[in-house]
Amino acid sequence: MTAEKRPLTLRLCEPRGFCAGVDRAIQIVVLALKKYGSPVYVRHEIVHNKYVVEGLKARGAVFIEELEEIPAEHADKPVVFSAHGVPKSVPADAQARNLFYLDATCPLVSKVHKQAMRHSRLGRHVVLIGHAGHPEVIGTMGQLPEGDVTLVETEAEVATLDFAPETDLGFVTQTTLSVEDTAGVIRALQERFPHIQAPAAESICYATTNRQEAVKEAAPGADFFLVVGAPNSSNSRRLVEVAERAGATRALLVQRESEIPWDEIGDISVLGLSAGASAPEIIIDEIIQAFRARYDVTLDVVITAEETENFPVMSALRDVELTNADMAFVNGSV
């Protein structure tokens, strides 16, 4: 006789997982492989997710960190720039090497680039709120000459800024930050520099905001909250912080079902589950099935927004058909 499974309410956040920018970036690599064959080179992880990267490698993508890694005999092969965006020096380098490149930068990241350039064009020094070393931050800072952008990570750092009183300032933010944390830094900047100019539009992307709002709704009273995402995924790490602030007893970031610490979970009755913007739905399915095997699961879908955004791929790839089978490795079977 099998032991009776404990009841578990699984609060599944919606929206979760892939945003339109991530979906587009992965589609670009898949379509480039279909059109041009292997290898297709990808500079940096196309998105911050090991499962996605390994899946694309298996299909013939070759991941590199610098363009100089592309062999001379493959100069005619496509190289894709990641969704996080790149400094202006990278496409310039590609042109100098006569490389054929496809830029998969998320359109919302490109919007931040344009906001920074607009501040600069209007004579303002740019303050970028973001995390040092993140590819998106490197790309945004690289839109302007060195020294024209100052990075700020925390409210405390605002007090250390030493701008001359007459300096015109404008700020932009990394797209994947915590809404609350960013609001605090912006408030500190505006208090210290009342003349600082905001960007023409919100920098934090809709997907980041929507995923955080869904987690806030699902977290109160949750005994455990799982966020699917990579350790180097900024928006995924922020979801863990949001879950704990919103009332989850414990929140944890995992990349796969195999990372779930089953012996630590204990006798829980409410589980929250979400995924960062670069985490594929197939892993969510994997985790739900793992909990169904151990608990008597009641699924409670927490819906806070409906996302209809779709970012089309570049015209060079629109003549290639993208099928459900092409994307099944991340979306699961349809």
Side-chain angles (χ1 to χ4, degrees):
M1 181 177 177
T2 57
E4 188 175 339
K5 294 177 183 176
R6 294 193 298 270
L8 177 68
T9 298
L10 196 160
R11 293 179 186 163
L12 182 61
C13 292
E14 192 171 315
R16 64 180 178 276
F18 283 179
C19 61
V22 163
D23 205 29
R24 173 181 178 268
I26 296 168
Q27 288 177 19
I28 286 170
V29 180
V30 169
L31 291 171
L33 284 164
K34 289 187 77 171
K35 182 169 183 174
Y36 303 108
S38 176
V40 166
Y41 290 91
V42 185
R43 185 185 178 276
H44 190 65
E45 291 183 341
I46 186 69
V47 296
H48 282 158
N49 188 274
K50 182 179 179 182
Y51 180 93
V52 171
V53 168
E54 293 299 323
L56 291 171
K57 280 183 181 178
R59 285 157 179 76
V62 177
F63 287 82
I64 59 174
E65 286 303 313
E66 299 300 340
L67 299 181
E68 64 190 30
E69 298 173 46
I70 299 175
E73 62 270 23
H74 286 174
D76 60 331
K77 295 292 186 179
V79 56
V80 181
F81 300 155
S82 81
H84 311 98
V86 294
K88 280 187 174 180
S89 59
V90 173
D93 185 26
Q95 289 172 351
R97 295 173 184 272
N98 292 317
L99 297 175
F100 167 42
Y101 68 86
L102 299 166
D103 189 352
T105 299
C106 172
L108 298 179
V109 174
S110 295
K111 184 179 77 171
V112 175
H113 292 178
K114 291 172 185 173
Q115 291 169 346
M117 289 187 283
R118 180 177 181 273
H119 280 318
S120 182
R121 192 170 60 249
L122 294 172
R124 301 167 188 157
H125 182 88
V126 178
V127 177
L128 170 61
I129 304 168
H131 296 298
H134 190 280
E136 183 186 327
V137 166
I138 293 169
T140 300
M141 295 185 76
Q143 301 307 303
L144 296 172
E146 189 172 350
D148 285 7
V149 183
T150 297
L151 179 66
V152 173
E153 295 195 70
T154 64
E155 290 182 54
E157 286 185 16
V158 174
T160 69
L161 296 176
D162 188 23
F163 296 117
E166 68 276 7
T167 306
D168 287 332
L169 299 172
F171 72 84
V172 294
T173 78
Q174 184 179 332
T175 62
T176 55
L177 301 178
S178 158
V179 176
E180 285 83 1
D181 288 348
T182 307
V185 179
I186 291 172
R187 189 163 51 249
L189 281 170
Q190 290 173 333
E191 288 173 357
R192 179 132 192 256
F193 308 104
H195 61 290
I196 195 168
Q197 297 295 308
E202 174 62 65
S203 293
I204 296 178
C205 83
Y206 77 91
T208 298
T209 302
N210 287 350
R211 278 148 192 71
Q212 290 179 17
E213 290 301 316
V215 168
K216 287 179 193 173
E217 187 75 20
D223 303 305
F224 208 86
F225 205 108
L226 288 176
V227 174
V228 180
N232 59 341
S233 167
S234 176
N235 78 88
S236 299
R237 293 201 312 271
R238 300 293 82 73
L239 291 179
V240 174
E241 296 168 4
V242 169
E244 290 179 335
R245 287 179 185 170
T249 302
R250 183 183 175 193
L252 187 67
L253 183 69
V254 296
Q255 297 188 81
R256 297 292 299 271
E257 179 272 333
S258 58
E259 294 184 3
I260 297 174
W262 295 106
D263 54 341
E264 298 176 22
I265 289 180
D267 188 13
I268 61 171
S269 59
V270 179
L271 174 77
L273 179 60
S274 185
S278 49
E281 187 66 12
I282 197 167
I283 298 179
I284 287 283
D285 293 341
E286 170 188 283
I287 288 174
I288 291 174
Q289 292 310 311
F291 274 95
R292 287 194 188 281
R294 293 166 171 83
Y295 296 86
D296 179 14
V297 172
T298 300
L299 205 60
D300 177 15
V301 182
V302 178
I303 304 174
T304 55
E306 181 182 355
E307 294 180 349
T308 57
E309 288 79 5
N310 176 51
F311 298 146
V313 301
M314 61 278 296
S315 57
L317 297 176
R318 290 179 197 164
D319 60 336
V320 187
E321 181 186 10
L322 184 75
T323 67
N324 288 336
D326 292 328
M327 298 293 286
F329 76 105
V330 286
N331 295 335
S333 55
V334 178

